[in-house]
Amino acid sequence: MNRTDMWRRIDAHPKAWDMIVVGGGATGVGVAIDAAARGYDVLLLEQSDFGKGTSSRSTKLAHGGVRYLEQGNIGLVMEALKERGLLLQNAPHIVHDLAFVVPNYDWWEAPFYGLGLKLYQLLAGKYGFGVSRILSREETLEHLPTLKTEGLRGGAVYYDGQFDDARLLIHMVATAFEQGAALLNYVEVTGLTKDAQGFVDGVSARDMETGNEFRATARVVVNATGAFTDLLRLKAEPSATPMIVPSQGIHLVFAASFLQGDSAIMVPHTSDGRVLFAIPWHGHTLVGTTDTPIAQATLEPVAMEQEVEFILATAGQYLTKAPTRDDVLSVFAGIRPLVRATSVASVSNTSALSRDHVIHIDRSGLVTVCGGKWTTYRHMAEDCVDQAATLAQLPEKPCVTRQLRIHGFPDVAKQDAAKEFAEVELGSLAVYGSDAYEIRKLIDTAPRLSEALHAALPYLKAEVVWAARHEMARTVEDALARRTRALFLNARAALAMAPAVADLMASELGWDDRTRAKHLAAFREVASNFELRPSVP
């Protein structure tokens, strides 16, 4: 899967596409998978890199949403729990179960939360991940050895899913490609074209790498641009009423020592009303998140000072060693594209907005899919393709993604036996699934690629080469933020790795010295947003 192959597929398709999808996050790529798997001709265009926005900046949870249960949104919880089960079924190399402990410091918390979490487990039905139960004080500390003990009475444990969001997304792009879709990153949709009746019938676009402009026509165009949904809608209808209320959430990343053990902490009520998670992730501790209304979405959101202080203060209430600014290895911000309630003019509390998804068809025929959550991307895509196909009068074809394995699914038949797959010590390469074998072959042909890029992180030179050759990584940032997760785990280490990564990518992509320097400077600018700035005196 590379850019040359994608352009070749597009050049060989002179007629109108069945569907053009704008947006290369989880929602857009999910739509591309669903539509291509049904047999429709699909073109997807993304202005930056796949998952550059919200889809790489989540809390890394494939979950039903415990707090939506408290809000009474049983339907969303049941839908998400089912989709969580399908994610584990179809991408077991990336999605796994994780124990979450709710620590109890007041006498009423154990029965109260225990009952709610038992209901959460029951709603999952056959898609359940584990049995929730009440824990004694000693059992709670077995799960969470670094939990603050003063006043601790016990806890409740339940099970949810965890994943690497950007890694799953890249495998979804590969899945869509394997199903016949053409997908391009770094192609900006600059406008929408219309037929004689005024209905959207295609896009005008610009290749951000070459500056070349082109047009593509389609039976239907799907707007899956997330936080930027309204910008594309305005290109079709300048008078369109905004749908999106952007909200920002941030996460802080610390060393693994802050959360020893294999369990996560879930704090159901913080001072701002949000749930707070502290989660083991890729050998580190990830803590978040906030919910801060913002005026408008940006491609590179930055953590606000009050958000950082809130997470540090809240985490310090529960951890034996209260984390400080000096302990933060990386900080990242993401934007939730929440859907505005039709009766609400302005929103001050975005945490109260629904996380249900919406399919909206403008008078111009532009189909917009927005809202929802990472875990429910497949169901959102199914709903969207059903309605888009009906609108475009495409032949009716059933959805097949409930059983569709995501690229990298461990194919034990191909590997001769499950035992062989288990015997290979994949280490950090395990998230690549069956591609881990191909990366190992790459190392066998060029042993220097087995070298680690930095002592603090597990990433190898081979992963950068693989990303450039087979995963459409086009920049240093692509390699260090989304093909590996170096920038999200340790910003300083990622900055130290950047020159070596730039050398590898220059060799693979044919960069000259000037282009290499440009990409390196661009990465350093982005990485500065992931380093926690010193506090203002």
Side-chain angles (χ1 to χ4, degrees):
M1 183 181 72
N2 58 60
R3 197 172 176 84
T4 302
D5 287 342
M6 293 299 185
W7 276 116
R8 190 177 294 125
R9 188 171 281 187
I10 291 169
D11 291 339
H13 195 284
K15 61 186 179 71
W17 298 85
D18 290 331
M19 192 176 300
I20 292 177
V21 182
V22 186
T27 303
V29 176
V31 170
I33 293 173
D34 187 296
R38 298 192 201 199
Y40 300 135
D41 292 331
V42 182
L43 171 64
L44 180 145
L45 303 174
E46 161 58 42
Q47 67 171 335
S48 184
D49 185 32
F50 303 116
K52 162 72 174 178
T54 307
S55 296
S56 64
R57 299 164 181 264
S58 74
T59 312
K60 324 304 179 194
L61 299 180
H63 64 142
V66 172
R67 75 186 189 89
Y68 309 134
L69 189 64
E70 185 182 7
Q71 293 174 355
N73 196 340
I74 302 296
L76 176 61
V77 173
M78 292 186 70
E79 174 194 317
L81 288 171
K82 177 182 177 181
E83 293 301 322
R84 181 193 69 174
L86 294 177
L87 265 173
L88 178 63
Q89 168 192 292
N90 296 325
H93 54 301
I94 301 175
V95 182
H96 63 88
D97 64 316
L98 179 66
F100 288 77
V101 174
V102 182
N104 302 153
Y105 291 90
D106 287 308
W107 66 267
W108 56 269
E109 290 181 311
F112 180 78
Y113 293 126
L115 185 63
L117 295 172
K118 179 61 71 173
L119 175 60
Y120 187 70
Q121 173 200 325
L122 293 173
L123 289 174
K126 65 179 182 180
Y127 299 102
F129 272 31
V131 178
S132 61
R133 63 187 182 92
I134 303 295
L135 301 176
S136 67
R137 186 178 188 275
E138 291 71 25
E139 289 174 319
T140 301
L141 291 172
E142 284 179 17
H143 276 277
L144 302 170
T146 55
L147 188 67
K148 189 170 286 187
T149 58
E150 184 181 350
L152 180 68
R153 293 173 174 267
V157 63
Y158 72 100
Y159 294 84
D160 236 325
Q162 184 181 36
F163 72 133
D164 183 323
D165 48 10
R167 175 52 37 197
L168 177 59
L169 181 64
I170 297 304
H171 284 220
M172 286 165 55
V173 172
T175 305
F177 177 65
E178 290 162 356
Q179 294 298 320
L183 309 93
L184 280 171
N185 50 357
Y186 296 102
V187 173
E188 179 187 11
V189 170
T190 56
L192 298 169
T193 60
K194 295 182 179 180
D195 62 18
Q197 285 74 44
F199 286 98
V200 171
D201 68 351
V203 301
S204 54
R206 180 189 302 114
D207 183 345
M208 303 300 286
E209 291 192 352
T210 65
N212 294 336
E213 298 188 356
F214 67 97
R215 290 191 173 192
T217 58
R219 303 273 291 274
V220 64
V221 176
V222 173
N223 175 11
T225 54
F228 304 100
T229 289
D230 289 325
L231 294 180
L232 189 62
R233 291 180 60 236
L234 288 170
K235 291 182 188 296
E237 291 188 41
S239 61
T241 302
M243 293 178 62
I244 298 299
V245 180
S247 163
Q248 177 166 296
I250 77 157
H251 297 80
L252 304 182
V253 179
F254 305 96
S257 58
F258 281 89
L259 190 66
Q260 296 172 13
D262 299 323
S263 301
I265 300 174
M266 194 275 274
V267 180
H269 283 288
T270 62
S271 59
D272 79 339
R274 274 200 64 80
V275 169
L276 185 95
F277 293 101
I279 302 164
W281 189 64
H282 286 322
H284 293 70
T285 300
L286 180 127
V287 184
T289 179
T290 54
D291 200 329
T292 309
I294 56 176
Q296 63 182 29
T298 59
L299 199 56
E300 192 58 55
V302 179
M304 301 175 196
E305 185 61 31
Q306 66 267 29
E307 293 179 295
V308 173
E309 292 301 328
F310 165 76
I311 289 182
L312 287 173
T314 306
Q317 296 172 16
Y318 292 89
L319 298 175
T320 304
K321 180 187 176 186
T324 68
R325 299 178 70 90
D326 292 340
D327 297 313
V328 177
L329 300 176
S330 187
V331 52
F332 61 93
I335 297 174
R336 301 179 190 87
L338 304 176
V339 180
R340 183 189 304 272
T342 54
S343 60
V344 177
S346 62
V347 178
S348 58
N349 180 15
T350 48
S351 65
L353 288 179
S354 171
R355 265 58 173 178
D356 288 310
H357 73 269
V358 170
I359 311 291
H360 177 82
I361 302 175
D362 282 304
R363 287 175 297 181
S364 64
L366 177 68
V367 177
T368 293
V369 53
C370 55
K373 52 206 295 288
W374 227 122
T375 309
T376 61
Y377 86 86
R378 191 212 63 82
H379 178 68
M380 292 170 64
E382 179 181 358
D383 191 4
C384 178
V385 174
D386 283 346
Q387 298 197 42
T390 299
L391 179 69
Q393 299 181 359
L394 296 172
E396 189 171 329
K397 299 179 180 180
C399 173
V400 298
T401 56
R402 288 181 186 84
Q403 305 297 326
L404 184 65
R405 291 175 171 179
I406 298 299
H407 175 87
F409 187 99
D411 189 345
V412 294
K414 188 175 181 181
Q415 304 296 339
D416 296 328
K419 187 171 182 290
E420 180 188 343
F421 190 85
E423 281 176 348
V424 178
E425 187 163 6
L426 299 178
S428 64
L429 297 180
V431 291
Y432 290 90
S434 58
D435 281 349
Y437 288 97
E438 302 304 317
I439 297 174
R440 285 293 177 95
K441 289 178 185 176
L442 191 61
I443 293 172
D444 289 341
T445 60
R448 68 180 180 83
L449 296 181
S450 66
E451 296 172 9
L453 288 161
H454 194 282
L457 294 170
Y459 301 117
L460 310 177
K461 289 182 176 180
E463 294 178 73
V464 177
V465 173
W466 178 261
R469 288 185 190 176
H470 302 290
E471 294 184 340
M472 296 181 70
R474 307 298 296 176
T475 71
V476 174
E477 182 194 340
D478 294 348
L480 287 175
R482 289 171 294 278
R483 305 309 185 275
T484 70
R485 307 315 306 273
L487 182 58
F488 283 76
L489 294 172
N490 189 323
R492 286 185 183 176
L495 281 163
M497 295 157 63
V501 170
D503 289 341
L504 290 163
M505 297 196 72
S507 177
E508 289 297 316
L509 301 178
W511 295 346
D512 57 22
D513 289 345
R514 182 181 176 185
T515 304
R516 176 192 176 279
K518 182 186 73 172
H519 281 293
L520 201 50
F523 174 73
R524 287 169 174 155
E525 183 177 349
V526 169
S528 67
N529 295 324
F530 287 72
E531 285 190 291
L532 191 57
R533 297 173 176 84
S535 58
V536 179

